[in-house]
Amino acid sequence: MWIDAANFLERKMDGEPRKMDGKLRNVAIYFRDYKTVHGLTVPHVLETVTEKDKQSHKMTIEQVAVNQPMEGALFAKPQLTMARAADQQAEQRP
């Protein structure tokens, strides 16, 4: 992680090298366009750059929500579909 010494914000993260054209290529993620939302400073553009690749990949964050109310069900343990199907089959057997 590369930190800007002037404002202590993350500027760049070196990622795991990716194999392209049969060779390992360095990958970096750049954090840009910082905005403060409800006292939290967040980058709104994340750009992934791979060595020797002319195209980068940008992710733009349009909206940041802080401390929004959420339903407790979002944090419940999910049911396994296969387990339910097995239970249903067992119930149908004579």
Side-chain angles (χ1 to χ4, degrees), residues 41-87:
T41 304
V42 180
H44 281 65
V45 174
L46 286 81
E47 183 175 9
T48 303
V49 177
T50 306
E51 178 184 39
K52 303 285 183 183
D53 191 0
K54 293 178 182 177
Q55 276 192 318
S56 65
H57 302 275
K58 287 185 182 179
M59 179 174 68
T60 302
I61 297 171
E62 295 178 0
Q63 180 180 358
V64 175
V66 179
N67 293 329
Q68 294 293 306
M70 300 175 85
E71 295 290 328
L74 290 172
F75 302 97
K77 185 175 180 180
Q79 295 281 333
L80 293 176
T81 304
M82 293 180 69
R84 280 189 282 170
D87 288 343

